[in-house]
């Protein structure tokens, strides 16, 4: 197992390298640079040349990339072009915690609703609970967060006036660099974005949990467990649930990727100062280093998220051997 | 389905058993699917949406880019239920806005364009993406997976390493980067082949580049599945039999292998369609989808979320369209999967 983890870890390095290289090249190949704005705010030609030289943008691309990697190795993600008082590190330090808090809360919500709903639906099969949960799950998977979020804003923010309609309730500096101060302000701001993002997750988990638990319940070893007189609760929790969780663990990987799309939209709608929104804005602003660094961070999260899933998988199912 | 038709179904079952006509797995699956009322209803709904998309000019009273110029400045109109006299007065269909007819069944957007017409034309983008993205994914994935699985050995190892590699790439981020590049390229203009692509893309309202960006990486999961299917079929007797009578590899792949594995793969691809529709909507939402004024539901929602307090219908109507279409595709996909795989019947 340890050997497998180390191998996967080493294997991810060329992947991350290639993604960084690709992003770096594509971003620089975009027509129009950070200082070549046209129109009213255009910069005189000689100033543009000076600015580009200052950030090393006049050098050949391989040299720039090498420079970027060298700085990256020292933990420096590069400068910002527009907000010159900040570096990419500053921006990431501000926005990363917001996205992570939102993402983690949504995953927690997804499991907190999806797991019980799926389990109840499977145990009380063909009951009213089952139909409600199944239909709710399909509906939850079908309503895009860009539709759900405005509806939530409209109902709970505008009509009922229960919740604030925008912004995140925690600002930097965060506790330990990423934890919010869990006060009422934070929770009230967190509810709607979390629900907007977590609904689809809980729907996916509920469907998968139900299907997988139903399949496990029809296995012979469940009959054996019942036949030897185990209490139903023990049968369900010890024998059925643990095995039913194996397929559920596998969707956590795709879930992380889906979460990415979600944060782009939800952060935009609720005006959260997160990575997704910065990623989108950095595209049109041609913030080369911010864009490359954020892409790299997303890739790192995805790669290690998948690795974590594999480890969980092996822990849940001892038959799986990675070697 | 009424009890009458069910009994008819049973009758025909017995009849088939009696006459000894063989029942193929396909006919079994079709009967299983027909029993699922929700799935059948969803399929009909998707069919209707397809018809609406093809004949959009018939269902949309105005062109999607036509602006209502009868006011001094464009203003948002509330949804309006037409009364009979008003309907006649305006001749609704075919009456150009310039003639002062301002009947908007679903209201109009901030630029004075008829919302209903835009929602109707919006079906084209969503369905085109659903169709093209899934076909491209299926085609490339099937070809890649089949080659990899069938030839095995070294080829398989290298091809699967590439897939493993691509699997770690954040697909959406890459799609965004590609779209940004295409958009910048369009603005700058280009010569030769790129110029030709740009012109085609403009003729398609920006959909061509969207297809390329979405098709580029979405086949990876399908390639893995196809390879798995091929590996499980490769050892079967009928392949061996075909080999023993000297069939060529091409013949075995196209005549025997692919017909046997394509069914489940098509069904799995159907289940992925809502994801493609979401991706297109998300891209249009952040301004990297189709080019305006081509209507896309995602872009329409994005334009109006800021003003949701005063004009909720501008978000809710395209939002409802988007939700209903994905809901229908989800139900249809589930039904197809249940029909083809009896084991997954408990969903």
């Amino acid at each position: 197992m340890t050997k497998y983890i180390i191998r996967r870890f080493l294997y991810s390095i060329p992947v991350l390298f290639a993604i960084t290289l690709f992003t770096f090249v594509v971003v620089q190949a975009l027509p129009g640079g950070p200082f070549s704005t046209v129109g009213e705010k255009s910069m005189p030609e000689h100033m543009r040349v000076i600015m580009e030289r200052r950030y090393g943008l006049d050098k050949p691309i391989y040299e720039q990339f090498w420079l970027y990697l060298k700085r990256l190795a020292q933990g420096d993600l590069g400068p910002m072009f527009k907000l010159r008082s900040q570096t990419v590190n500053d921006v990431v330090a501000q926005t990363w915690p917001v996205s992570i808090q939102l993402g983690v809360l949504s995953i927690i919500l997804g499991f907190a609703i999806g797991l019980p709903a799926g389990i109840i639906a499977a145990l009380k099969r063909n009951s009213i609970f089952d139909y409600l949960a199944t239909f709710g799950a399909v509906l939850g998977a079908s309503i895009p967060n860009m539709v759900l979020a405005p509806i939530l804003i409209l109902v709970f923010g505008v009509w009922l006036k229960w919740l604030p309609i925008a912004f995140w309730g925690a600002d930097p500096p965060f506790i330990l660099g990423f934890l919010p101060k869990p006060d009422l302000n934070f929770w009230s701001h967190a509810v709607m974005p979390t629900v907007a993002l977590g609904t689809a997750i809980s729907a996916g988990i509920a469907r998968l949990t139900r299907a997988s638990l139903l399949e496990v319940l029809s296995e012979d070893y469940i009959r054996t467990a019942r036949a030897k007189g185990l209490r139903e609760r023990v049968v369900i929790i010890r024998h059925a649930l643990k095995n039913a969780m194996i397929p559920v663990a596998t969707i956590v990987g795709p879930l992380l990727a889906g979460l990415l799309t979600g944060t782009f939209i939800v952060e935009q709608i609720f005006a959260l100062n997160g990575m997704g929104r910065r990623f989108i804005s950095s595209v049109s602003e041609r913030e080369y280093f911010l864009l490359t660094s954020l892409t790299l961070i997303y890739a790192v999260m995805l790669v290690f998220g998948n690795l974590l899933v594999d480890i969980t998988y092996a822990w849940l199912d001892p038959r799986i051997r990675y070697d | 389905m009424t009890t009458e038709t069910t009994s008819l179904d049973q009758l025909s079952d017995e009849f088939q058993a009696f006459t000894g006509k063989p029942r193929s797995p396909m006919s079994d699956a079709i009967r299983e699917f027909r029993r699922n009322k929700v799935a059948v209803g969803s399929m009909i709904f998707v069919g209707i949406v397809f018809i609406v998309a093809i004949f959009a000019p018939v269902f949309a009273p105005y062109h999607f880019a036509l602006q209502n110029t009868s006011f001094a400045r464009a203003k948002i109109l509330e949804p309006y239920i037409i009364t009979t006299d008003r309907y006649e007065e305006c001749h609704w269909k075919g009456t150009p806005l310039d003639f002062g007819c301002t009947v908007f069944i679903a209201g109009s957007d901030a630029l004075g364009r008829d919302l209903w017409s835009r929602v109707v034309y919006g079906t084209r983008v969503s369905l085109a993406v659903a169709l093209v993205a899934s076909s491209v994914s299926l085609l490339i994935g099937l070809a890649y997976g089949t080659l990899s699985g069938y030839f095995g050995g070294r080829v398989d190892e290298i091809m699967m390493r590439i897939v493993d590699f691509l699997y770690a790439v954040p697909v959406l981020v890459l799609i965004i980067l590609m779209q940004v590049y295409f958009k910048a390229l369009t603005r700058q203009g280009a010569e030769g082949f790129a110029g030709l692509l740009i012109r085609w893309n403009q003729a398609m309202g920006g959909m061509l580049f969207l297809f390329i960006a979405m098709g580029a990486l979405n086949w990876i999961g399908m390639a893995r599945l196809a390879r798995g299917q091929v590996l499980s079929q490769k050892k079967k007797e009928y392949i061996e039999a075909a080999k023993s009578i000297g069939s060529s590899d091409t013949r075995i792949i196209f005549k025997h292998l692919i017909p046997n594995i394509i069914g489940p793969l098509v069904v799995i691809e159907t289940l992925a369609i809502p994801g493609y529709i979401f991706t297109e909507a998300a891209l249009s939402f952040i301004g990297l989808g189709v080019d305006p004024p081509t209507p896309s539901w995602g872009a329409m929602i994005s334009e109006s979320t800021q003003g949701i307090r005063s004009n909720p219908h501008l978000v809710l109507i395209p939002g409802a369209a988007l939700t209903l279409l994905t809901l229908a595709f989800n139900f249809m996909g589930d039904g197809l999967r249940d029909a083809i795989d009896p084991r997954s019947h408990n969903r």
Side-chain angles (χ1 to χ4, degrees):
Chain A
M1 192 66 201
T2 325
K3 226 166 90 186
Y4 171 78
I5 295 173
I6 292 171
R7 212 183 56 200
R8 276 285 296 267
F9 187 79
L10 292 177
Y11 188 61
S12 66
I13 292 174
V15 174
L16 294 175
F17 178 80
I19 291 171
T20 315
L21 178 63
F22 178 84
T23 317
F24 201 84
V25 172
V26 165
V27 168
Q28 298 249 355
L30 292 177
F35 303 111
S36 57
T37 38
V38 284
E40 273 175 53
K41 290 182 185 167
S42 68
M43 195 177 264
E45 185 65 24
H46 65 277
M47 274 174 75
R48 189 177 64 82
V49 172
I50 292 170
M51 289 306 280
E52 282 181 355
R53 191 177 306 142
R54 186 181 155 202
Y55 290 107
L57 301 180
D58 54 339
K59 294 197 180 81
I61 184 130
Y62 56 86
E63 216 178 307
Q64 287 187 48
F65 186 63
W66 176 240
L67 220 67
Y68 177 74
L69 285 186
K70 263 209 307 219
R71 280 196 302 219
L72 198 64
Q74 297 163 6
D76 179 6
L77 297 173
M80 295 282 288
F81 303 136
K82 296 271 156 71
L83 281 164
R84 260 156 255 161
S85 60
Q86 289 188 317
T87 62
V88 173
N89 289 49
D90 296 334
V91 174
V92 169
Q94 285 164 17
T95 55
W96 174 79
V98 173
S99 292
I100 289 294
Q101 288 160 17
L102 175 60
V104 169
L105 281 180
S106 313
I107 292 182
I108 292 174
L109 182 79
F111 275 99
I113 293 178
L115 274 186
I119 292 169
I120 292 171
L123 293 182
K124 305 237 183 265
R125 197 177 170 193
N126 291 334
S127 70
I128 182 81
F129 297 110
D130 186 16
Y131 292 131
L132 274 180
T134 313
F135 184 77
V138 180
L139 191 67
S142 300
I143 184 162
N145 41 39
M146 70 174 73
V147 178
L148 187 59
I151 291 177
L152 289 173
I153 290 178
L154 206 59
V155 175
F156 297 103
V158 178
W159 291 342
L160 295 173
K161 292 193 171 43
W162 287 354
L163 296 166
I165 58 170
F167 306 128
W168 196 240
D171 293 311
F174 296 102
I175 303 167
L176 297 175
F178 67 99
L179 287 173
K181 209 164 87 203
D183 52 8
L184 187 68
N185 184 41
F186 171 73
W187 291 115
S188 65
H189 279 84
V191 172
M192 287 204 290
T194 306
V195 172
L197 205 53
T199 302
I201 301 175
S202 61
I205 291 174
R207 285 170 86 174
L208 208 64
T209 307
R210 178 179 178 274
S212 134
L213 189 55
L214 279 178
E215 186 145 347
V216 167
L217 282 176
S218 66
E219 298 274 350
D220 287 340
Y221 61 81
I222 297 293
R223 198 179 312 151
T224 312
R226 282 189 182 135
K228 67 183 185 186
L230 285 183
R231 271 177 302 158
E232 188 64 17
R233 210 182 51 199
V234 179
V235 174
I236 300 293
I237 295 175
R238 277 282 246 333
H239 295 250
L241 266 184
K242 197 180 169 199
N243 285 300
M245 282 305 103
I246 296 168
V248 179
T250 55
I251 65 152
V252 178
L255 213 111
L256 282 172
L259 211 60
L260 257 176
T261 333
T263 51
F264 285 172
I265 306 284
V266 170
E267 285 175 10
Q268 199 85 19
I269 294 180
F270 289 98
L272 310 182
N273 188 21
M275 283 202 301
R277 208 154 74 104
R278 282 322 265 270
F279 183 85
I280 309 288
S281 67
S282 68
V283 167
S284 56
E285 286 166 2
R286 299 283 186 273
E287 290 283 1
Y288 295 158
F289 294 108
L290 181 59
L291 199 54
T292 313
S293 304
L294 286 182
T295 309
L296 182 62
I297 291 172
Y298 281 134
V300 167
M301 293 202 300
L302 213 63
V303 166
F304 289 102
N306 282 332
L307 184 58
L308 205 67
V309 170
D310 281 351
I311 295 170
T312 322
Y313 205 49
W315 174 70
L316 281 170
D317 188 353
R319 285 171 305 181
I320 295 172
R321 288 266 165 272
Y322 298 116
D323 27 45
Chain B
M1 215 176 282
T2 57
T3 41
E4 204 179 340
T5 46
T6 324
S7 64
L8 267 177
D9 266 4
Q10 281 165 358
L11 254 180
S12 79
D13 283 3
E14 282 165 25
F15 182 68
Q16 274 187 351
F18 180 70
T19 52
K21 218 164 130 196
R23 273 166 41 185
S24 68
M26 193 62 188
S27 69
D28 270 357
I30 290 172
R31 202 175 41 248
E32 188 66 38
F33 183 77
R34 283 222 316 254
R35 254 180 225 155
N36 188 340
K37 276 171 273 177
V38 181
V40 172
S42 302
M43 195 178 234
I44 293 172
F45 181 80
V46 170
I48 292 172
V49 177
F50 260 102
I51 293 171
V52 168
I54 294 167
F55 301 106
V58 179
F59 292 92
Y62 307 115
H63 187 256
F64 58 79
L66 192 62
Q67 282 179 274
N68 172 19
T69 50
S70 51
F71 303 114
R73 42 190 282 257
K75 73 174 185 187
I76 297 168
L77 293 181
E78 298 277 309
Y80 178 67
I81 316 284
I82 340 160
T83 53
T84 330
D85 55 314
R86 193 65 183 257
Y87 182 91
E88 279 160 6
E89 175 200 323
C90 272
H91 306 296
W92 179 239
K93 259 179 212 142
T95 311
L97 288 166
D98 317 24
F99 292 157
C101 180
T102 49
V103 177
F104 297 94
I105 200 168
S108 74
D109 69 2
L111 294 173
R113 300 175 295 195
D114 181 33
L115 192 68
W116 170 250
S117 305
R118 287 181 67 73
V119 169
V120 165
Y121 276 98
T123 55
R124 287 188 167 177
V125 175
S126 283
L127 285 183
V129 164
L131 215 63
V132 174
S134 54
S135 323
V136 169
S137 157
L138 189 65
L139 271 179
I140 303 181
L142 187 64
Y144 196 97
T146 310
L147 287 181
S148 177
Y150 186 77
F151 291 107
R154 246 294 132 78
V155 182
D156 186 34
E157 196 164 309
I158 293 170
M159 288 177 88
M160 278 303 118
R161 270 291 136 81
I162 296 173
V163 163
D164 281 346
F165 183 83
L166 292 175
Y167 208 70
V169 174
V171 175
L172 186 82
V173 170
L174 212 66
I175 293 178
I176 289 178
L177 287 178
M178 282 166 85
Q179 276 295 88
V180 169
Y181 182 76
F182 289 147
K183 294 234 175 252
L185 201 68
T186 310
R187 224 170 299 137
Q188 195 194 35
E191 295 296 313
F193 182 62
L196 188 70
L197 280 185
I198 289 173
R199 274 200 301 285
W200 281 352
N201 183 53
Q202 274 165 347
M204 290 168 73
M207 275 197 267
L208 180 67
F209 286 151
L210 197 60
F211 294 155
I212 296 176
M214 284 182 65
L217 278 180
N218 270 327
W219 51 270
I220 298 166
M222 185 47 62
R224 282 188 160 175
L225 286 171
R227 175 176 171 270
Q229 291 276 337
V230 170
L231 287 183
S232 75
Q233 297 283 325
K234 207 166 76 168
K235 297 275 180 293
K236 293 249 166 93
E237 289 84 354
Y238 69 93
I239 300 287
E240 213 172 313
K243 269 189 188 153
S244 69
I245 58 169
S247 300
S248 67
D249 283 340
T250 330
R251 193 183 156 79
I252 291 175
I253 288 177
F254 283 103
K255 268 283 200 229
H256 301 287
L257 210 48
I258 289 183
N260 270 301
I261 62 170
I262 191 121
L265 296 181
V266 169
V267 170
I268 289 167
E269 197 54 59
T270 321
L271 289 168
I273 286 180
Y276 300 137
I277 296 179
F278 278 7
T279 307
E280 184 277 323
L283 284 173
S284 293
F285 188 92
I286 56 180
L288 291 171
V290 292
D291 298 327
T294 311
S296 153
W297 294 338
M300 291 162 73
I301 294 170
S302 152
E303 283 159 15
S304 319
T305 38
Q306 299 295 321
I308 189 167
R309 195 187 281 262
S310 32
N311 292 294
H313 68 283
L314 292 183
V315 174
L316 296 184
I317 291 173
L322 189 57
T323 310
L324 282 178
L325 187 64
T326 36
L327 198 62
F329 270 117
N330 268 330
F331 276 127
M332 194 178 92
D334 282 354
L336 284 174
R337 189 193 45 195
D338 289 350
I340 213 158
D341 178 11
R343 238 163 54 91
S344 81
H345 198 60
N346 41 32
R347 232 176 295 182

